[in-house]
Amino acid sequence: SMPKPEVSIPTPLSPLLPVTPTTSREFSRSAIVRAYVRVYQGGKAPVLPVTLTTTIVDGKNTAVVKRAETFGADRFAQHRSTDARIDFPLPELQPGSHRLRIEASNGAQTESRDVIFRVK
């Protein structure tokens, strides 16, 4: 069974996710941490393939993880959106603060979100 996060938020969103969401941003290196993101393509133009790039930068501003995955246009066909899971490679990271950046790009547009987290 999966380890449970120490702090969780019982919200209406919870039934939609395969995990218990947490407000914690500090994790031990042995924890299993995953981020779930939904990528939307608005408007009425045909949907395009999207590349999702995940970057983790350490406290010295060094990119310690960089991964890219491309989702074909077919993944967006039904609702103009698709879901993705991002696993945090905590055992590979040194203790301290890190920044996770998730960037979605369809070639014409790029959007990104950042989250600061700490490894114990």
Side-chain angles (χ1 to χ4, degrees), residues 17-87:
L17 296 173
V19 295
T20 303
T22 180
T23 56
S24 176
R25 294 293 179 263
E26 185 171 72
F27 308 101
S28 69
R29 292 173 78 185
S30 61
I32 297 171
V33 179
R34 292 186 171 117
Y36 287 86
V37 296
R38 179 165 289 164
V39 182
Y40 296 92
Q41 295 193 52
K44 299 206 183 320
V47 292
L48 298 169
V50 169
T51 299
L52 197 67
T53 304
T54 303
T55 308
I56 297 177
V57 176
D58 67 12
K60 297 175 184 168
N61 212 27
T62 302
V64 291
V65 173
K66 187 157 188 169
R67 298 179 183 156
E69 182 178 3
T70 300
F71 299 101
D74 58 309
R75 288 274 300 258
F76 296 88
Q78 191 171 4
H79 301 290
R80 301 186 70 89
S81 68
T82 191
D83 295 334
R85 185 184 92 186
I86 297 161
D87 292 331

Side-chain angles (χ1 to χ4, degrees), residues 21 48 83 90 97 112:
L48 298 169
D83 295 334
L90 294 181
S97 293
S112 66

